[in-house]
Amino acid sequence: MLLIVLVLFLCPVFRCQTEDTELSDVAFEEYTISDVDPNAAPLRVARQVKTLLTKETKPHIQELSVQTTIISRYAFTAVSCSMLNRHSAATQGVFQFHIPTAAFISNFTMIVGGRVFPSEVKAKEKKTKKEGGENNGKKNKNTPEQSEGEMEVFRMEVTIPGRNRAVFLLTYEELLQRRLGHYEHVTSVRPMQLVSRLSVGVTIVEHSRITYLEVLPLRNGKTPSSNGNGKADGKVEPPVSTVVKQNETFCKIHFTPNIVQQARIATNGMLGEFVVRYDVEREIGIGDIQVLDGHFVHYFAPKDLPVVSKNVVFVIDTSASMVGTKIRQTKEALFTILRELRPNDHFNFVTFSNRIRVWQAGKLVPVTPNNIRDAKKFIYMISPTGGTDINGGIQTGSALLRDYLSSKEESHHNSVSLIIFLTDGRPTVGVVQSPVIIGNTKAAVQEKFCLFTIGMGDDVDYRLLERMSLENCGTMRRIPEDADASVMLKGFYDEIGTPLLSDIRVQYSEDAVEYITQNLFTNYFNGSELVVAGKLTNRSSDLLHVQVTASNSERSIVLEKDVSIHEREQETDRRLAEAEAGPNARDYVERLWGYLSVKDGLKGRLRSQTSAERENYMQQATNLSLTYNFLTPLTQMVVEKPQVLVDGTLAQTQKEAEATEAPPPAESSNQLLEDNNSLTPQSLHRNQPPKPISAVSKATSGVSKPAKKPVILSKTSADGDPHFVVEVPHSKLTVCFNINGEPGHILRLVTDHKNSGVTVNGALIGAPAPAGSHKEQRTYFSTITIVANKPHRSYIEVTPQKVILDDRDRMILPSSASISVETANLAVVIIANTNVTVTIQGTIQFVILFHHYKNPAPYQRDHLGFYIANSNGLSKDTHGLLGQFLYEDIGLTQLPGNVSMAGENSTQETLGKNITLTSDPALKVKDRTVTVIKKSRRIYSGKQTVDCWFAKNNAAKLIDGQYSDYVVSHLFDTGDWANGTNTH
C-alpha cells in the first residue's frame, strides 16, 4: 500500500519525487515565484512550502561539498552534490539548496549518466501566454525575492536512470554586509539524509587584519543565535569536526562531520546553518581602497564618532491578525527598545488597524523616565482588533514627524529622523491599491526622513514594503512566520538605532573614474559599512582623488586623500599572493562592481517615476547580469533536462541531434587511448559571454556525443616522482632529469605570459620514501593550474578528484565522470579517472593524467602527470622547467681525456695494457656542458618506455638558473621568468 506523508518543510535542501520533466526555464519574477510549473524548473521559492512525498525511492547522496572563498567581503560559493540511483528503474531526483536572497547564482550544471546538461542565462522575455498549456504554475505575490537576511531555495528536479549518478554543480556570489560590527556568512547544511562525504569549507582572505573570528554552533534558521549585540550569548563552541587555521589576514575553516557525528546532530540530515562571523581592522580616515585590473572598491566604516541624536516614530500594526504570539513578541521588543533610547532622542508611537491611534498627539517627546514609563503603559494596553489600514498609519506617522521637524528646523539640523513601520498583513481598510499607497507615502515623506519597513509572516505584500522603503531611503526586513520576532525586531533596531553620520557623499576624480555604484548615502549607522565600487577610465593617471563629505552631531566633516592607483594595485596583488587566494582572486573587484551595479539597477527600477526611467534601469541591470552570468529578477535560466526512454537509456537531446562531430585527429605513434571501461564523454559548447549592451545569443552547438578518439601526446612531460622527460624536436634527442622539490613548493612548468598568455604551475605534496630508497622523501604533483590570459583571463585547476574550469563561467567537474566542455577560449575533455585534455586557442594542448591508488602504500599518493601534447601557439620566449626546451637546440658531444676503467656509458680508446681513455657523453646547452648517462623511463602510466639522456644533480646546468628560480608564490602566479626571457 502506498504511504503518502504530508510534510511541512521549512528549509528543504534535497527531496526526491516521481514526476516527469521537460525542457525548463528558470525565471525570477519581480519578487514572485517563477511563472512555470515548480516541478519542472529550478526555482528560488519561499521557505514555507507544503509538499507530498511519495513512497521513498530517494537517490543516495554520496557526496555534498560546499566551498566558499571570501575575498575582501565578496564571497564565491561552489556547491557540488553527487546522487546515486541504486534502483534498476529510473527515479526522480531533486536538488534543492538554500542560498541567501542577496546572492546571485552565476552557474548551474548537471551531469546525469555521464552527460553534461548546462544552463544558459538569458534576458527575461516579456510575459506572454505559454504555448502547449505550460502556464499552469501559480504565482505567489507575497514571496519576497530580495528580503535581506533570509534564505531562498534553488530547486532542480531530474530523472536519473537506473544504476546511475547525477552530479549537480551550483555557484553563487554575494557581498557580505557588515551589521552590528561584524560580517556573517551562512551555509545551509540540510541534505535530508546522512551523507558519506560531507564537507563545508570557508576561506577568508582580507586586506586588513582579522580582529574577530567566530564559528557559531549550528543554527536551525528560525531563531538567530545573537542576543542583539552582535556577539553570541556566552561562550560558544563551533560544531564538532570544525577545524580553524588562521593568521593575521587569512583563515581556513573546515567542517567535515562523519556519519556518526551527523547522526548525533540530526538523524534526518537537517543539520542546520553553518555560521561564520568575522570583522577586520579599520583604517583611520578615508577608509580602505583596493584596486585590481581596472576596477576599485572603497570600504568606508569610520569608528569612534559621537552618536547623532534621532527622531523616531514607531508605526505598529494592531489589526486582528496580530493577536497572540505576534503582538506579544512585538511588545517585548518595544519594551527593550524603549530602555535603549538615548537622552537626546525624541520619539512617539502610532498604531493602526480599522482606526488610527497616536500616543502623544501632535508632537514627539524627549526621552525622560516619565515618558518612558507612559510609553510602556501605552504599549502594554495595545489590543489587536479590526482590519489593516496601511495607508492611514503611514500618513499619520509621516505627518507627525514632518510637522515636528518643520516646527524646530534649526534645533534638529544635525539629527537623524526615521519611521519604523511594522505590519503582518496586506491593506484591507482605506486605500488598498499598492501604487496609490506608494505615491501617497512618497508625497508624505517629502524626502525629509527615512522609512524602514518590517514584515512579519507569510501574508505580507513584501513588494509593497520594499518599494515604500526604497523610495524613502530606508530598507525592508522580513521576519519569518515561525521566527522569534522579539529578537529579530530588536536586532533590526540595533542596526539603525545608533546613527553616526548623515548625508554622506563619496566622490572621486572625474577624469579617472566612470560607472561608480551608489555614492550618496542618507545615513551611516554604527557597526555597518558603506561600499562604493567603480571602473577606472584613465589608466595613465596614477592618482585617484577621494573626497568624503558628511555631517555628524557637531559639524560637517570633509575627508580628502590622493591615492596612488599603482601602489594600491601592487598592495592588493601582494596580499592575494601571500594568502594564495586562488582563482577567484584576480577578478573579485570587477565582479563586486558588477554585483553592486546590478543591485543599484534593480533598486532604481523600483524607485523610477516614469516608464522611460524604469526601462533604462532595467536595460542596464539586464546587460550587466548577462555579462557576469547572474541569475536576477531580470534574467532567466534555461536548462535542457534528460529524458529517460522506456529501455532506461537517456534520450537524445535536441542539441545532440543537431550537433555535428568534429573530424578525428591524424593518427600518431604517441597516443594514449581512452579507458575502455570509462563512459563516453559528452561535450558542452558554451557561447562567449555577451557585452553589456548586447543580448545573449543562443549557442550554435551544444551537447554532442563524439566518437572515441585517441589523445595525442609528445614525450615532454613531468610525471611520477616527478620525473621530467623532454623531447627536443630540433636535435631529435630525448633528455630526462629529476627535480627533488620540497612539499608545498609550487613549480613553474610553462610560462609564456607575455605572448600567448599561457602559464602552467604545479604544486608538490610529500610522501615518505620506500624502504631502501636513497631518497629521504618522495614528491608528487597534487594540483596543476593552467592560466590563459588571452583574449581574457581564464584558468583550469586540476586535482586528482576534480577539475575547476573558469572562463567567465565557473564549473567544478568531477574527475570520475567523462565530460567534454568547450568555451570561447578553452576546450576540456575529461576521460573518467584517466586523464583530462586541455586545448587553448585551438592549438596549444596539454594532457594531465590522473593517478589513483585503491590501497596506497605509505609512499604513494594520488597525484597528477603533466604532458605537453601540442606546443603550437607557444612563443619562442616560452620558459619554465619544461617550456624552456620547446625551441632549444641541444647537441650531444663527448668529454674526452679521463683515464679510468670504462663505464657502460663511456666510449673507449685503448692506450696500453689495462689503461683506457674514456669519453663521457655530454649535452651542449647554450654555452653550458652537462654530463649525462643513458637511462630508460616509463611514461603514459607505464604504457610506453623511452630511452633518454639523464642529467644528474637536480638538472644542474641543464636548466637555466637553479631550482629556486622555478619556485613561485602561488598556483595562479603568472610572473615572468625571473632571469629574463629565454633567448635563442
Side-chain angles (χ1 to χ4, degrees):
M1 176 178 173
L2 182 64
L3 177 64
I4 300 179
V5 183
L6 182 63
V7 178
L8 174 65
F9 62 104
L10 302 175
C11 313
V13 181
F14 303 98
R15 286 199 183 273
C16 301
Q17 300 175 335
T18 53
E19 298 177 19
D20 295 331
T21 56
E22 298 178 0
L23 184 69
S24 305
D25 284 351
V26 178
F28 276 29
E29 297 293 343
E30 298 177 359
Y31 307 102
T32 66
I33 292 179
S34 176
D35 191 21
V36 296
D37 183 352
N39 290 325
L43 301 171
R44 294 175 77 164
V45 300
R47 292 174 73 99
Q48 288 76 20
V49 183
K50 293 184 179 179
T51 254
L52 286 176
L53 188 62
T54 63
K55 182 178 180 180
E56 182 175 356
T57 57
K58 276 188 181 182
H60 171 63
I61 299 174
Q62 294 181 303
E63 182 173 8
L64 173 62
S65 171
V66 187
Q67 304 298 321
T68 298
T69 301
I70 303 169
I71 307 174
S72 291
R73 292 76 140 174
Y74 195 67
F76 299 85
T77 299
V79 183
S80 175
C81 175
S82 177
M83 292 184 188
L84 173 65
N85 177 12
R86 294 170 168 171
H87 304 278
S88 57
T91 190
Q92 209 68 15
V94 177
F95 168 71
Q96 289 189 171
F97 193 83
H98 276 116
I99 64 174
T101 56
F104 289 148
I105 292 169
S106 53
N107 184 54
F108 176 68
T109 301
M110 297 183 298
I111 305 167
V112 182
R115 297 163 71 173
V116 176
F117 295 86
S119 64
E120 181 184 4
V121 174
K122 304 193 301 181
K124 183 182 289 185
E125 298 175 359
K126 291 185 178 179
K127 298 175 184 177
T128 56
K129 188 172 182 180
K130 293 183 179 286
E131 298 179 3
E134 289 185 17
N135 190 12
N136 56 359
K138 295 181 180 179
K139 288 186 180 181
N140 182 355
K141 295 283 185 184
N142 309 333
T143 304
E145 283 286 315
Q146 300 292 331
S147 54
E148 298 295 329
E150 285 305 310
M151 306 287 275
E152 294 170 348
V153 178
F154 177 89
R155 183 176 188 273
M156 184 56 162
E157 183 176 335
V158 296
T159 302
I160 305 176
R163 311 290 185 193
N164 231 310
R165 287 182 177 84
V167 179
F168 302 91
L169 308 169
L170 173 70
T171 62
Y172 59 87
E173 303 172 21
E174 63 173 321
L175 177 65
L176 302 184
Q177 293 187 9
R178 187 169 185 256
R179 290 175 176 164
L180 301 173
H182 64 253
Y183 307 98
E184 181 174 284
H185 181 267
V186 179
T187 304
S188 179
V189 190
R190 296 183 176 90
M192 297 293 288
Q193 58 180 269
L194 301 179
V195 179
S196 301
R197 297 186 298 278
L198 175 61
S199 172
V200 176
V202 179
T203 299
I204 301 173
V205 180
E206 280 294 340
H207 191 260
S208 305
R209 185 172 66 89
I210 297 174
T211 58
Y212 161 63
L213 177 68
E214 186 174 26
V215 182
L216 301 185
L218 290 172
R219 193 166 69 186
N220 63 16
K222 300 177 186 178
T223 305
S225 55
S226 169
N227 61 9
N229 61 5
K231 301 291 186 284
D233 293 322
K235 185 178 180 180
V236 296
E237 294 294 333
V240 64
S241 83
T242 301
V243 177
V244 180
K245 296 180 181 179
Q246 179 185 6
N247 62 23
E248 278 202 346
T249 61
F250 172 82
C251 78
K252 278 192 174 182
I253 303 165
H254 295 284
F255 173 54
T256 54
N258 57 37
I259 287 184
V260 174
Q261 292 167 331
Q262 294 173 46
R264 287 173 180 166
I265 299 169
T267 56
N268 62 357
M270 298 284 285
L271 275 63
E273 293 173 347
F274 185 77
V275 182
V276 176
R277 288 178 178 170
Y278 76 97
D279 198 25
V280 299
E281 194 170 54
R282 306 284 148 194
E283 289 190 14
I284 298 175
I286 206 74
D288 180 15
I289 299 174
Q290 300 174 27
V291 180
L292 204 61
D293 290 344
H295 294 79
F296 75 91
V297 58
H298 181 188
Y299 300 102
F300 183 65
K303 58 181 181 178
D304 300 328
L305 295 172
V307 176
V308 178
S309 62
K310 61 182 176 292
N311 311 303
V312 57
V313 176
F314 299 90
V315 181
I316 308 299
D317 185 348
T318 58
S319 61
S321 57
M322 287 285 291
V323 72
T325 302
K326 289 180 182 177
I327 197 64
R328 176 179 58 79
Q329 292 181 341
T330 300
K331 289 180 179 182
E332 289 173 2
L334 292 176
F335 288 147
T336 306
I337 290 169
L338 281 173
R339 290 197 298 269
E340 296 186 2
L341 290 173
R342 293 180 172 84
N344 292 330
D345 294 342
H346 291 74
F347 70 104
N348 204 340
F349 287 94
V350 174
T351 64
F352 66 94
S353 56
N354 278 358
R355 64 190 187 97
I356 312 297
R357 292 183 61 199
V358 179
W359 171 49
Q360 298 285 343
K363 61 182 178 180
L364 269 66
V365 300
V367 176
T368 65
N370 287 342
N371 285 338
I372 295 296
R373 181 198 63 203
D374 293 344
K376 287 182 177 180
K377 291 180 182 177
F378 175 78
I379 295 169
Y380 181 79
M381 296 301 295
I382 291 175
S383 179
T385 183
T388 307
D389 188 358
I390 287 179
N391 185 72
I394 284 289
Q395 293 298 309
T396 303
S398 299
L400 193 66
L401 185 53
R402 189 178 63 244
D403 293 345
Y404 173 75
L405 293 176
S406 62
S407 65
K408 299 185 177 182
E409 273 190 45
E410 286 302 316
S411 61
H412 299 291
H413 176 67
N414 286 333
S415 63
V416 169
S417 301
L418 48 95
I419 288 179
I420 297 178
F421 176 89
L422 181 144
T423 184
D424 77 328
R426 308 169 162 278
T428 60
V429 176
V431 178
V432 296
Q433 296 83 9
S434 292
V436 178
I437 294 175
I438 292 168
N440 291 345
T441 301
K442 190 169 182 63
V445 172
Q446 297 179 4
E447 298 184 355
K448 293 187 175 182
F449 45 86
C450 295
L451 172 62
F452 295 85
T453 59
I454 305 169
M456 299 177 66
D458 299 330
D459 192 34
V460 179
D461 188 343
Y462 282 101
R463 192 178 179 211
L464 170 62
L465 298 189
E466 180 102 28
R467 291 201 61 181
M468 287 167 58
S469 59
L470 282 179
E471 292 194 6
N472 296 283
C473 70
T475 58
M476 186 269 289
R477 186 64 51 84
R478 178 178 186 263
I479 299 177
E481 187 74 44
D482 58 346
D484 188 336
S486 61
V487 174
M488 296 193 72
L489 278 171
K490 175 61 172 56
F492 182 57
Y493 174 79
D494 286 344
E495 292 178 29
I496 62 176
T498 309
L500 300 181
L501 294 174
S502 61
D503 302 321
I504 306 101
R505 177 185 294 268
V506 188
Q507 294 178 293
Y508 308 92
S509 316
E510 289 186 3
D511 60 340
V513 172
E514 65 175 348
Y515 304 129
I516 61 171
T517 60
Q518 179 185 352
N519 66 326
L520 301 176
F521 304 90
T522 306
N523 299 301
Y524 165 70
F525 298 103
N526 187 42
S528 66
E529 182 175 62
L530 305 181
V531 184
V532 182
K535 188 174 182 179
L536 299 170
T537 52
N538 185 9
R539 299 301 300 275
S540 61
S541 173
D542 185 52
L543 287 182
L544 176 66
H545 183 73
V546 184
Q547 182 187 72
V548 179
T549 60
S551 299
N552 66 5
S553 60
E554 300 170 353
R555 64 188 184 281
S556 295
I557 60 174
V558 178
L559 300 173
E560 290 187 88
K561 187 175 183 179
D562 287 326
V563 175
S564 170
I565 295 174
H566 180 66
E567 287 180 6
R568 294 283 172 152
E569 185 154 20
Q570 281 189 324
E571 175 67 11
T572 305
D573 258 329
R574 184 181 66 81
R575 293 279 189 178
L576 294 174
E578 287 175 354
E580 299 182 7
N584 295 316
R586 288 303 312 176
D587 60 357
Y588 84 92
V589 178
E590 179 183 350
R591 294 190 72 84
L592 190 159
W593 170 77
Y595 172 93
L596 287 179
S597 298
V598 172
K599 291 283 185 182
D600 287 350
L602 294 174
K603 291 176 182 177
R605 69 168 185 150
L606 293 179
R607 291 193 299 258
S608 56
Q609 300 301 307
T610 65
S611 58
E613 185 183 9
R614 174 182 167 85
E615 183 63 31
N616 184 49
Y617 278 120
M618 290 177 63
Q619 189 63 47
Q620 290 176 9
T622 300
N623 291 339
L624 285 168
S625 298
L626 297 176
T627 299
Y628 295 103
N629 211 55
F630 288 153
L631 182 58
T632 71
L634 301 177
T635 55
Q636 60 185 347
M637 180 181 285
V638 177
V639 185
E640 187 168 6
K641 301 197 293 183
Q643 301 295 308
V644 180
L645 302 176
V646 177
D647 62 1
T649 62
L650 290 177
Q652 191 177 40
T653 65
Q654 182 180 357
K655 288 184 179 180
E656 284 177 328
E658 296 172 354
T660 57
E661 295 183 1
E667 294 294 324
S668 168
S669 59
N670 294 333
Q671 296 177 349
L672 181 63
L673 295 178
E674 297 176 2
D675 185 351
N676 290 332
N677 295 324
S678 66
L679 296 169
T680 302
Q682 305 304 306
S683 89
L684 161 61
H685 304 268
R686 298 194 126 187
N687 57 305
Q688 186 173 358
K691 299 294 180 185
I693 58 173
S694 66
V696 175
S697 59
K698 293 185 178 179
T700 56
S701 57
V703 180
S704 63
K705 191 173 183 177
K708 279 193 175 184
K709 311 180 189 74
V711 179
I712 302 174
L713 299 182
S714 74
K715 300 170 187 174
T716 302
S717 59
D719 204 347
D721 188 9
H723 301 311
F724 288 75
V725 177
V726 175
E727 191 173 29
V728 185
H730 289 193
S731 310
K732 297 184 179 179
L733 292 173
T734 301
V735 180
C736 49
F737 56 93
N738 293 344
I739 291 293
N740 298 320
E742 292 293 325
H745 279 184
I746 298 169
L747 303 184
R748 173 84 83 235
L749 301 178
V750 177
T751 176
D752 190 28
H753 177 67
K754 286 188 175 179
N755 298 288
S756 65
V758 174
T759 303
V760 182
N761 298 323
L764 296 174
I765 56 170
S773 173
H774 65 282
K775 292 184 177 182
E776 293 183 2
Q777 65 176 355
R778 286 187 165 192
T779 53
Y780 303 93
F781 285 117
S782 62
T783 307
I784 290 174
T785 56
I786 302 171
V787 180
N789 275 339
K790 295 182 180 180
H792 57 264
R793 185 177 176 86
S794 54
Y795 72 85
I796 295 169
E797 180 180 354
V798 182
T799 71
Q801 290 73 39
K802 63 186 177 184
V803 177
I804 300 175
L805 166 63
D806 194 325
D807 190 9
R808 293 188 173 166
D809 288 345
R810 178 177 165 87
M811 301 177 65
I812 302 178
L813 309 171
S815 64
S816 57
S818 294
I819 307 163
S820 175
V821 180
E822 184 175 333
T823 69
N825 196 31
L826 301 170
V828 177
V829 178
I830 302 174
I831 306 302
N833 297 317
T834 305
N835 63 65
V836 55
T837 302
V838 179
T839 306
I840 304 169
Q841 300 165 12
T843 58
I844 304 168
Q845 192 172 67
F846 304 123
V847 175
I848 299 172
L849 305 189
F850 301 121
H851 297 292
H852 297 111
Y853 298 95
K854 289 185 178 178
N855 299 297
Y859 54 84
Q860 293 176 324
R861 298 284 187 273
D862 287 354
H863 64 280
L864 304 170
F866 174 75
Y867 291 77
I868 298 178
N870 192 339
S871 59
N872 257 351
L874 294 173
S875 76
K876 292 188 176 182
D877 291 333
T878 303
H879 211 275
L881 284 169
L882 290 175
Q884 63 187 292
F885 298 106
L886 294 177
Y887 297 96
E888 188 65 82
D889 282 318
I890 297 179
L892 181 64
T893 185
Q894 303 289 330
L895 295 178
N898 293 325
V899 179
S900 66
M901 297 301 294
E904 62 176 321
N905 288 285
S906 305
T907 59
Q908 303 179 27
E909 180 182 349
T910 302
L911 299 180
K913 187 176 181 181
N914 296 327
I915 301 176
T916 56
L917 179 64
T918 63
S919 297
D920 292 324
L923 299 177
K924 288 290 291 183
V925 184
K926 296 180 181 175
D927 57 351
R928 306 186 297 269
T929 302
V930 187
T931 303
V932 292
I933 61 174
K934 199 67 174 286
K935 273 198 173 185
S936 293
R937 282 278 166 85
R938 296 180 69 82
I939 58 176
Y940 312 153
S941 299
K943 295 182 179 179
Q944 185 173 339
T945 300
V946 296
D947 295 326
C948 58
W949 294 104
F950 178 75
K952 300 179 180 179
N953 302 324
N954 235 26
K957 294 187 178 180
L958 176 67
I959 60 174
D960 293 335
Q962 54 192 353
Y963 168 80
S964 60
D965 295 327
Y966 298 88
V967 178
V968 297
S969 60
H970 58 91
L971 276 166
F972 299 88
D973 188 324
T974 57
D976 297 318
W977 162 239
N979 297 323
T981 58
N982 186 27
T983 56
H984 303 285

